[in-house]
Amino acid sequence: MTVVIWSDGHLLTPEEPALSAVDHGITVGDGVFETCAVYGGQAFALTRHLRRLARSAAGIGLVAPEEQLVRDAVAQVLAAAPDSGRLRITVTGGPAPLGSMRGDGPLSLLVAAGPASPSSVSRAVRLPWVRNERSAVAGLKTTSYAENVVGYAYASERGGDEGLMANTVGALCEGTASNVFVEIGGELLTPHLETGCLAGITRELMLEWAREEGLPAREAGIDELPFGVLDEVTLAGGGTIGGVTGERGVSLALAGSIRNVAPVVSLDGKDVVPGPLVVAAQKLFGRRLAEGIDP
């Protein structure tokens, strides 16, 4: 299946031009985006994604396009590509000078849909780089994604499908394209937004649905999940990933729009064991996802 693109009111193929060579999204990464899973020709949780798109745009000083324009573009793309698994909405600063200064013309809006290959499990690798929780764009979903690309490549070269990062003060933060949940001490914890992690839509829904159904899941305090907690993840053959005592039975799940909630079955190339809360969270999310397309 090919990718279908909407730009400036027209449907395009990947071979047709969609942006100017001096678009600020290309020259300096000045833009924001959202990725939605697509089920049965409809974008999942589109309202939440559009809300976050507007927050990210405001965070970098852009005004998001009118919501109805985006919804109409999404509808056109998915009508042309109903079997898609992934939808991406991108807003950039539009044509601008060859530098950091923005132009005074209209923003660029692109909507694209194409295939996705989700997996029900994840294989994670710890990255040697950190997320800067004090960055001007911390917590925003921007198109300035080079460090994520480098991190993903590092993990992929080591047999992983996701890389995990600390922040500058050594707290567990997030993956290159996912949020992290840690099963520890009888709870399922996810790093607080103060760590600099993205306010993920899947993360948000998982916390809401867990609260409604009595699954013990919550945001962790800023000091509750140091990056070193990954040393305590339980190996499949016994013991822990870092050789520590491991009395707390630590396990992991990753959350994202395409992977949904996926237990981590490998960390740094070693097989690890998903805990009962991680497994329960995956089942709960899958069941609630099936109940409605725009929760």
Side-chain angles (χ1 to χ4, degrees):
M1 182 180 63
T2 188
V3 173
V4 173
I5 301 166
W6 181 100
S7 175
D8 195 25
H10 303 285
L11 293 178
L12 309 173
T13 67
E15 293 75 27
E16 295 177 277
L19 289 178
S20 165
V22 295
D23 190 279
H24 228 212
I26 295 173
T27 56
V28 297
D30 180 27
V32 296
F33 75 101
E34 287 292 319
T35 297
C36 305
V38 177
Y39 302 108
Q42 297 184 75
F44 180 70
L46 181 59
T47 297
R48 292 180 189 250
H49 280 284
L50 293 180
R51 191 182 303 147
R52 189 175 64 179
L53 183 75
R55 290 199 304 268
S56 293
I60 66 170
L62 298 178
V63 178
E66 290 292 331
E67 181 174 316
Q68 192 57 53
L69 172 64
V70 181
R71 288 184 179 274
D72 289 346
V74 167
Q76 289 180 52
V77 168
L78 292 181
D83 296 329
S84 298
R86 178 196 303 260
L87 177 90
R88 177 171 169 137
I89 304 165
T90 304
V91 177
T92 81
L98 293 178
S100 296
M101 182 183 297
R102 286 185 175 133
D104 56 7
L107 305 183
S108 297
L109 169 64
L110 299 175
V111 178
S117 300
S119 175
S120 60
V121 296
S122 292
R123 293 171 173 80
V125 172
R126 283 179 281 192
L127 300 181
W129 306 288
V130 298
R131 182 73 84 209
N132 180 7
E133 74 282 0
R134 299 176 63 188
S135 164
V137 296
L140 304 179
K141 199 168 181 69
T142 76
T143 58
S144 302
Y145 228 55
E147 67 178 6
N148 300 63
V149 172
V150 171
Y152 179 83
Y154 180 95
S156 181
E157 289 164 2
R158 289 156 180 80
D161 56 41
E162 179 60 302
L164 301 180
M165 290 177 283
N167 67 6
T168 66
V169 296
L172 178 63
C173 184
E174 62 183 348
T176 68
S178 64
N179 291 113
V180 188
F181 281 87
V182 180
E183 180 176 339
I184 184 170
E187 293 183 292
L188 200 59
L189 306 183
T190 191
H192 197 280
L193 296 181
E194 292 179 359
T195 63
C197 69
L198 183 71
I201 303 301
T202 304
R203 173 188 184 275
E204 178 181 294
L205 286 169
M206 185 70 251
L207 289 171
E208 288 181 16
W209 290 343
R211 184 168 57 249
E212 292 171 4
E213 302 212 10
L215 187 73
R218 63 177 176 85
E219 281 189 316
I222 191 67
D223 298 322
E224 284 188 86
L225 290 177
F227 198 61
V229 75
L230 300 182
D231 283 333
E232 301 182 52
V233 171
T234 304
L235 289 168
T240 62
I241 194 80
V244 296
T245 303
E247 296 176 351
R248 295 188 287 182
V250 175
S251 68
L252 306 173
L254 302 184
S257 292
I258 302 302
R259 71 178 77 236
N260 293 323
V261 175
V264 172
V265 298
S266 170
L267 179 60
D268 293 339
K270 299 178 181 179
D271 292 341
V272 298
V273 181
L277 290 179
V278 162
V279 173
Q282 182 183 41
K283 291 179 178 178
L284 186 159
F285 194 90
R287 176 169 53 80
R288 292 295 297 266
L289 181 154
E291 293 176 0
I293 198 67
D294 199 19

